[in-house]
Amino acid sequence: MPKPLIESKKKYHHGDLRGQLLEAVRQLIEISGPDGFSISEACRLAGVSTAAPYRHFADRTDILRGVVDLAMDRLQGAMQAASDAYPDDTIARVSAIGQAYIDFARHEPGVFRTMFGLTEGHGQDEDLLRKGQASLGVVRRAVAEHLGLAPETPEAGLKSYALWTFVHGHSFLVIDSKLETLEMPVPEDRLLDMVGRSILGPRAAG
Amino acid sequence: MPKPLIESKKKYHHGDLRGQLLEAVRQLIEISGPDGFSISEACRLAGVSTAAPYRHFADRTDILRGVVDLAMDRLQGAMQAASDAYPDDTIARVSAIGQAYIDFARHEPGVFRTMFGLTEGHGQDEDLLRKGQASLGVVRRAVAEHLGLAPETPEAGLKSYALWTFVHGHSFLVIDSKLETLEMPVPEDRLLDMVGRSILGPRAAG
DNA sequence: TACATATGTAAGCAACACTAACTTAGAAAG
DNA sequence: CTTTCTAAGTTAGTGTTGCTTACATATGTA
């Protein structure tokens, strides 16, 4: 039994098995994607037995949901922080939010893909949907303020959706690495700026 | 031996096992995603033994590549057809190409996701990359003609990329079904038209 | 001490990718 | 028409992996 190696640190009651398991799964997803990871592997990584997770999660899908849930919070946090960094310039603010979104995808591509490709097992999860809407809300408020409208306005909704869509698509193309070889025509910040001005600019009304 | 049921139709030499296997895999991918399908299941669906595929494909990844390859052709065909349908109105042409892209994603979401998420096993495939670029070329030519520029122009590249990105992102959001419940602010054709005009419009230069 | 909670051990079992060896059918050659 | 060759399929495995459960064990709390 090669157990007593770091005896002092090994407590039976792990203390944060749930948290560390989620972290392990997150790392594995980054390597092999949402379908590639296995509970066993995550347990090995976290240093616990393969049965331990079932005290904290119902099944495989439930673990994934947990990972995505945390990721949603991180994403929204990053977007909000970017938004707060530009209290004056609304165009720059919108660009910064978009850049935060893209950076998140670039930094955690596996998780990012998981967040949106999670169709199996539970279809729509109430909680996740609400968090998705919250993220979009950050964009919406910035757009609305730029246009001098209330966030609930149809025009604010339309344009923030268009911008989100653009950023979302670019993120996917970036992480799918179609861009190293495919034509990435211009520095990213200039691209963001161009699109932002096109959609939000004075004569861009729909 | 319950074999002689449809004896007349069952030939030992299948004739088009490769083709039918690809079709079976395509259907399975639509249901369970690129990682969800199994060779065994595809064989069951195609009515052949589990070893048969190995005469035609090296391994699992090779089959996937085959499916994606065909899908690329279908996608480009649809885009080109949409382009050809509007010889006069260049704005309508660009919108139609985008709509064809979105329709493809909506109609074959699993395959669509597979086409772009295929990072495992072979990273970049020369052939697939070329086909991807060809699809983008359809957009690029339409955009260039609208702007009165050559397709190789940086501006044509930038704007066609921006449009592609937008359509790509919208497609993903559609197939991830974030849109039934999330805010889809306006009919799709109006959305496309608005964005097209914003990016391509006279005062949208970057 | 008694009970609840958290973790480990071990095993069931199902599925799958891939291989080896054999079989069939058609085609080419004589 | 027969022989022979080869491509395409089949049967029957092998080895691996993984999810999940039943039960044992350790720890915390009242």
Side-chain angles (χ1 to χ4, degrees):
Chain A
M1 290 147 194
K3 222 210 281 184
L5 281 175
I6 326 174
E7 188 81 359
S8 53
K9 288 210 163 185
K10 272 270 176 186
K11 299 194 61 179
Y12 188 90
H13 278 82
H14 192 289
D16 186 29
L17 192 147
R18 190 192 147 93
Q20 264 185 246
L21 198 75
L22 286 177
E23 170 59 19
V25 169
R26 194 190 64 77
Q27 289 180 22
L28 288 175
I29 283 179
E30 280 310 326
I31 299 170
S32 327
D35 294 315
F37 95 99
S38 75
I39 298 183
S40 326
E41 217 172 333
C43 289
R44 251 169 270 144
L45 196 61
V48 296
S49 77
T50 62
Y54 291 89
R55 193 70 45 178
H56 301 272
F57 301 95
D59 55 10
R60 203 175 175 284
T61 310
D62 199 32
I63 301 181
L64 266 185
R65 183 163 34 223
V67 173
V68 169
D69 192 71
L70 290 181
M72 286 282 197
D73 292 342
R74 281 200 305 277
L75 174 58
Q76 192 194 336
M79 291 169 74
Q80 188 62 57
S83 178
D84 294 343
Y86 293 86
D88 303 323
D89 187 344
T90 53
I91 276 274
R93 189 190 308 166
V94 170
S95 285
I97 297 173
Q99 188 69 60
Y101 196 93
I102 296 165
D103 287 345
F104 182 92
R106 217 194 297 267
H107 199 250
E108 306 190 40
V111 171
F112 183 78
R113 219 181 261 116
T114 307
M115 290 165 73
F116 292 96
L118 214 51
T119 50
E120 43 227 280
H122 62 307
Q124 312 304 352
D125 185 276
E126 260 307 310
D127 200 38
L128 296 184
L129 253 162
R130 238 182 303 114
K131 296 203 174 183
Q133 281 175 326
S135 289
L136 182 51
V138 178
V139 182
R140 200 176 190 135
R141 282 191 293 276
V143 167
E145 182 170 334
H146 176 81
L147 297 174
L149 300 169
E152 300 80 20
T153 325
E155 189 180 345
L158 172 62
K159 294 193 170 174
S160 55
Y161 176 74
L163 286 172
W164 179 35
T165 306
F166 161 75
V167 166
H168 188 67
H170 178 64
S171 298
F172 262 107
L173 290 174
V174 165
I175 67 180
D176 289 340
S177 309
K178 306 293 183 195
L179 290 187
E180 257 67 58
T181 344
L182 225 63
E183 37 254 284
M184 166 66 158
V186 92
E188 200 165 70
D189 53 347
R190 276 200 55 207
L191 179 68
L192 272 170
D193 192 65
M194 182 283 259
V195 172
R197 285 180 199 281
S198 296
I199 300 291
L200 296 178
R203 232 163 302 257
Chain B
M1 292 145 196
K3 220 211 278 184
L5 282 175
I6 327 174
E7 187 81 358
S8 51
K9 287 211 164 186
K10 271 271 174 185
K11 299 195 60 178
Y12 187 91
H13 279 85
H14 191 289
D16 185 31
L17 191 147
R18 191 193 145 94
Q20 265 185 244
L21 199 75
L22 286 177
E23 170 60 18
V25 169
R26 194 190 63 77
Q27 288 180 23
L28 287 175
I29 284 179
E30 281 309 325
I31 299 169
S32 328
D35 293 315
F37 96 99
S38 77
I39 299 184
S40 327
E41 216 172 334
C43 290
R44 251 169 270 142
L45 196 61
V48 296
S49 75
T50 62
Y54 292 90
R55 295 284 155 195
H56 302 271
F57 301 95
D59 56 10
R60 201 175 178 283
T61 310
D62 200 31
I63 302 180
L64 265 185
R65 184 161 36 221
V67 172
V68 169
D69 192 71
L70 291 180
M72 286 282 196
D73 292 342
R74 281 202 304 279
L75 174 57
Q76 193 194 336
M79 291 169 74
Q80 188 62 57
S83 178
D84 295 343
Y86 293 85
D88 303 323
D89 187 344
T90 52
I91 276 272
R93 189 190 307 167
V94 170
S95 285
I97 297 172
Q99 188 69 60
Y101 196 93
I102 297 165
D103 287 345
F104 182 92
R106 216 194 298 267
H107 199 251
E108 305 190 41
V111 171
F112 183 78
R113 219 180 262 118
T114 307
M115 290 166 73
F116 293 96
L118 213 52
T119 49
E120 43 227 279
H122 63 308
Q124 312 305 351
D125 185 274
E126 261 307 310
D127 200 39
L128 295 184
L129 253 163
R130 239 182 303 115
K131 296 202 174 185
Q133 281 175 326
S135 289
L136 182 51
V138 178
V139 182
R140 199 176 191 136
R141 281 191 295 278
V143 167
E145 183 171 333
H146 176 80
L147 297 174
L149 300 169
E152 300 80 21
T153 325
E155 189 181 348
L158 172 62
K159 294 193 169 173
S160 53
Y161 176 74
L163 287 171
W164 179 34
T165 305
F166 161 74
V167 166
H168 188 67
H170 178 62
S171 298
F172 262 106
L173 290 175
V174 165
I175 68 181
D176 289 339
S177 309
K178 307 291 184 196
L179 290 187
E180 256 67 57
T181 342
L182 225 61
E183 36 253 286
M184 166 65 158
V186 93
E188 200 165 71
D189 53 347
R190 274 199 58 205
L191 179 67
L192 273 170
D193 192 64
M194 183 282 259
V195 172
R197 285 180 199 280
S198 296
I199 301 290
L200 296 178
R203 232 163 301 260

mmCIF file of all heavy atoms in Angstrom, chain B residues 2-15, chain C residues 25-26:
data_model
loop_
_atom_site.group_PDB
_atom_site.id
_atom_site.type_symbol
_atom_site.label_atom_id
_atom_site.label_comp_id
_atom_site.label_asym_id
_atom_site.label_seq_id
_atom_site.Cartn_x
_atom_site.Cartn_y
_atom_site.Cartn_z
ATOM 1 N N PRO B 2 -32.517 -16.905 -40.066
ATOM 2 C CA PRO B 2 -33.540 -16.021 -40.644
ATOM 3 C C PRO B 2 -32.929 -15.079 -41.663
ATOM 4 O O PRO B 2 -32.995 -13.879 -41.539
ATOM 5 C CB PRO B 2 -34.055 -15.261 -39.422
ATOM 6 C CG PRO B 2 -32.874 -15.230 -38.497
ATOM 7 C CD PRO B 2 -32.026 -16.417 -38.796
ATOM 8 N N LYS B 3 -32.324 -15.669 -42.630
ATOM 9 C CA LYS B 3 -31.642 -14.802 -43.601
ATOM 10 C C LYS B 3 -32.439 -14.564 -44.881
ATOM 11 O O LYS B 3 -32.444 -13.463 -45.411
ATOM 12 C CB LYS B 3 -30.271 -15.394 -43.945
ATOM 13 C CG LYS B 3 -29.188 -14.299 -44.053
ATOM 14 C CD LYS B 3 -28.132 -14.673 -45.048
ATOM 15 C CE LYS B 3 -27.119 -15.608 -44.418
ATOM 16 N NZ LYS B 3 -26.007 -15.941 -45.322
ATOM 17 N N PRO B 4 -33.123 -15.572 -45.397
ATOM 18 C CA PRO B 4 -33.651 -15.412 -46.758
ATOM 19 C C PRO B 4 -34.907 -14.552 -46.834
ATOM 20 O O PRO B 4 -35.779 -14.805 -47.629
ATOM 21 C CB PRO B 4 -33.963 -16.863 -47.174
ATOM 22 C CG PRO B 4 -34.203 -17.579 -45.896
ATOM 23 C CD PRO B 4 -33.472 -16.856 -44.813
ATOM 24 N N LEU B 5 -34.972 -13.555 -45.994
ATOM 25 C CA LEU B 5 -36.168 -12.719 -45.999
ATOM 26 C C LEU B 5 -36.261 -11.864 -47.267
ATOM 27 O O LEU B 5 -37.258 -11.871 -47.981
ATOM 28 C CB LEU B 5 -36.160 -11.806 -44.761
ATOM 29 C CG LEU B 5 -36.561 -12.493 -43.460
ATOM 30 C CD1 LEU B 5 -36.410 -11.540 -42.290
ATOM 31 C CD2 LEU B 5 -37.999 -12.984 -43.575
ATOM 32 N N ILE B 6 -35.212 -11.116 -47.482
ATOM 33 C CA ILE B 6 -35.214 -10.266 -48.679
ATOM 34 C C ILE B 6 -34.031 -10.678 -49.532
ATOM 35 O O ILE B 6 -33.265 -9.865 -50.045
ATOM 36 C CB ILE B 6 -35.113 -8.777 -48.302
ATOM 37 C CG1 ILE B 6 -35.839 -8.527 -46.979
ATOM 38 C CG2 ILE B 6 -35.734 -7.924 -49.386
ATOM 39 C CD1 ILE B 6 -35.675 -7.126 -46.467
ATOM 40 N N GLU B 7 -33.933 -11.966 -49.643
ATOM 41 C CA GLU B 7 -32.765 -12.582 -50.266
ATOM 42 C C GLU B 7 -32.348 -11.881 -51.563
ATOM 43 O O GLU B 7 -31.187 -11.611 -51.800
ATOM 44 C CB GLU B 7 -33.059 -14.060 -50.559
ATOM 45 C CG GLU B 7 -31.846 -14.845 -51.048
ATOM 46 C CD GLU B 7 -30.971 -15.278 -49.878
ATOM 47 O OE1 GLU B 7 -31.303 -14.928 -48.712
ATOM 48 O OE2 GLU B 7 -29.982 -15.960 -50.109
ATOM 49 N N SER B 8 -33.342 -11.587 -52.350
ATOM 50 C CA SER B 8 -33.039 -11.070 -53.686
ATOM 51 C C SER B 8 -32.229 -9.773 -53.629
ATOM 52 O O SER B 8 -31.387 -9.511 -54.475
ATOM 53 C CB SER B 8 -34.335 -10.838 -54.449
ATOM 54 O OG SER B 8 -35.214 -10.050 -53.645
ATOM 55 N N LYS B 9 -32.480 -8.983 -52.578
ATOM 56 C CA LYS B 9 -31.817 -7.678 -52.541
ATOM 57 C C LYS B 9 -30.420 -7.744 -51.909
ATOM 58 O O LYS B 9 -29.566 -6.919 -52.210
ATOM 59 C CB LYS B 9 -32.683 -6.702 -51.747
ATOM 60 C CG LYS B 9 -33.934 -6.273 -52.509
ATOM 61 C CD LYS B 9 -34.309 -4.851 -52.110
ATOM 62 C CE LYS B 9 -35.289 -4.261 -53.125
ATOM 63 N NZ LYS B 9 -35.568 -2.846 -52.863
ATOM 64 N N LYS B 10 -30.253 -8.699 -51.003
ATOM 65 C CA LYS B 10 -28.988 -8.785 -50.290
ATOM 66 C C LYS B 10 -27.904 -9.400 -51.159
ATOM 67 O O LYS B 10 -27.879 -10.609 -51.393
ATOM 68 C CB LYS B 10 -29.169 -9.640 -49.026
ATOM 69 C CG LYS B 10 -29.588 -8.836 -47.811
ATOM 70 C CD LYS B 10 -28.366 -8.330 -47.059
ATOM 71 C CE LYS B 10 -28.814 -7.399 -45.930
ATOM 72 N NZ LYS B 10 -27.717 -6.766 -45.223
ATOM 73 N N LYS B 11 -27.022 -8.597 -51.611
ATOM 74 C CA LYS B 11 -25.879 -9.133 -52.332
ATOM 75 C C LYS B 11 -24.680 -9.141 -51.391
ATOM 76 O O LYS B 11 -24.586 -8.334 -50.479
ATOM 77 C CB LYS B 11 -25.565 -8.257 -53.556
ATOM 78 C CG LYS B 11 -26.714 -8.196 -54.548
ATOM 79 C CD LYS B 11 -26.224 -7.635 -55.867
ATOM 80 C CE LYS B 11 -25.134 -8.498 -56.438
ATOM 81 N NZ LYS B 11 -24.636 -8.033 -57.733
ATOM 82 N N TYR B 12 -23.811 -10.072 -51.632
ATOM 83 C CA TYR B 12 -22.630 -10.138 -50.768
ATOM 84 C C TYR B 12 -21.761 -8.908 -50.988
ATOM 85 O O TYR B 12 -21.377 -8.224 -50.057
ATOM 86 C CB TYR B 12 -21.844 -11.417 -51.060
ATOM 87 C CG TYR B 12 -20.715 -11.637 -50.101
ATOM 88 C CD1 TYR B 12 -20.916 -12.379 -48.947
ATOM 89 C CD2 TYR B 12 -19.458 -11.100 -50.328
ATOM 90 C CE1 TYR B 12 -19.895 -12.591 -48.052
ATOM 91 C CE2 TYR B 12 -18.425 -11.300 -49.433
ATOM 92 C CZ TYR B 12 -18.642 -12.040 -48.300
ATOM 93 O OH TYR B 12 -17.625 -12.244 -47.419
ATOM 94 N N HIS B 13 -21.490 -8.634 -52.203
ATOM 95 C CA HIS B 13 -20.757 -7.396 -52.487
ATOM 96 C C HIS B 13 -21.739 -6.242 -52.522
ATOM 97 O O HIS B 13 -22.561 -6.116 -53.413
ATOM 98 C CB HIS B 13 -20.003 -7.514 -53.811
ATOM 99 C CG HIS B 13 -18.718 -8.256 -53.670
ATOM 100 N ND1 HIS B 13 -18.646 -9.626 -53.720
ATOM 101 C CD2 HIS B 13 -17.458 -7.832 -53.429
ATOM 102 C CE1 HIS B 13 -17.395 -10.011 -53.550
ATOM 103 N NE2 HIS B 13 -16.649 -8.949 -53.363
ATOM 104 N N HIS B 14 -21.588 -5.456 -51.538
ATOM 105 C CA HIS B 14 -22.586 -4.448 -51.225
ATOM 106 C C HIS B 14 -22.765 -3.451 -52.355
ATOM 107 O O HIS B 14 -23.861 -2.962 -52.611
ATOM 108 C CB HIS B 14 -22.150 -3.739 -49.942
ATOM 109 C CG HIS B 14 -23.175 -2.872 -49.348
ATOM 110 N ND1 HIS B 14 -23.569 -1.690 -49.902
ATOM 111 C CD2 HIS B 14 -23.926 -3.030 -48.231
ATOM 112 C CE1 HIS B 14 -24.486 -1.146 -49.135
ATOM 113 N NE2 HIS B 14 -24.719 -1.939 -48.118
ATOM 114 N N GLY B 15 -21.692 -3.127 -53.000
ATOM 115 C CA GLY B 15 -21.786 -2.208 -54.122
ATOM 116 C C GLY B 15 -21.422 -0.791 -53.722
ATOM 117 O O GLY B 15 -20.615 -0.135 -54.369
ATOM 118 P P DA C 25 -21.636 -16.053 -52.748
ATOM 119 O OP1 DA C 25 -23.029 -15.628 -52.510
ATOM 120 O OP2 DA C 25 -21.319 -17.432 -53.169
ATOM 121 O "O5'" DA C 25 -20.994 -15.031 -53.786
ATOM 122 C "C5'" DA C 25 -20.978 -13.657 -53.431
ATOM 123 C "C4'" DA C 25 -20.130 -12.891 -54.425
ATOM 124 O "O4'" DA C 25 -18.733 -13.194 -54.215
ATOM 125 C "C3'" DA C 25 -20.412 -13.227 -55.893
ATOM 126 O "O3'" DA C 25 -20.516 -12.017 -56.591
ATOM 127 C "C2'" DA C 25 -19.187 -14.028 -56.326
ATOM 128 C "C1'" DA C 25 -18.109 -13.400 -55.464
ATOM 129 N N9 DA C 25 -16.939 -14.238 -55.197
ATOM 130 C C8 DA C 25 -16.926 -15.564 -54.881
ATOM 131 N N7 DA C 25 -15.716 -16.048 -54.683
ATOM 132 C C5 DA C 25 -14.879 -14.954 -54.873
ATOM 133 C C6 DA C 25 -13.479 -14.809 -54.813
ATOM 134 N N6 DA C 25 -12.653 -15.809 -54.515
ATOM 135 N N1 DA C 25 -12.972 -13.581 -55.064
ATOM 136 C C2 DA C 25 -13.809 -12.589 -55.353
ATOM 137 N N3 DA C 25 -15.145 -12.604 -55.449
ATOM 138 C C4 DA C 25 -15.619 -13.827 -55.200
ATOM 139 P P DG C 26 -21.473 -11.905 -57.814
ATOM 140 O OP1 DG C 26 -22.570 -11.021 -57.421
ATOM 141 O OP2 DG C 26 -21.734 -13.256 -58.353
ATOM 142 O "O5'" DG C 26 -20.562 -11.107 -58.859
ATOM 143 C "C5'" DG C 26 -19.836 -9.987 -58.383
ATOM 144 C "C4'" DG C 26 -18.441 -10.008 -58.958
ATOM 145 O "O4'" DG C 26 -17.692 -11.134 -58.435
ATOM 146 C "C3'" DG C 26 -18.354 -10.145 -60.495
ATOM 147 O "O3'" DG C 26 -17.713 -9.005 -60.988
ATOM 148 C "C2'" DG C 26 -17.540 -11.416 -60.709
ATOM 149 C "C1'" DG C 26 -16.750 -11.493 -59.418
ATOM 150 N N9 DG C 26 -16.197 -12.777 -59.062
ATOM 151 C C8 DG C 26 -16.873 -13.954 -58.848
ATOM 152 N N7 DG C 26 -16.088 -14.949 -58.520
ATOM 153 C C5 DG C 26 -14.812 -14.391 -58.517
ATOM 154 C C6 DG C 26 -13.542 -14.980 -58.235
ATOM 155 O O6 DG C 26 -13.296 -16.150 -57.933
ATOM 156 N N1 DG C 26 -12.510 -14.048 -58.346
ATOM 157 C C2 DG C 26 -12.677 -12.725 -58.672
ATOM 158 N N2 DG C 26 -11.584 -11.983 -58.730
ATOM 159 N N3 DG C 26 -13.853 -12.156 -58.936
ATOM 160 C C4 DG C 26 -14.864 -13.049 -58.840
#
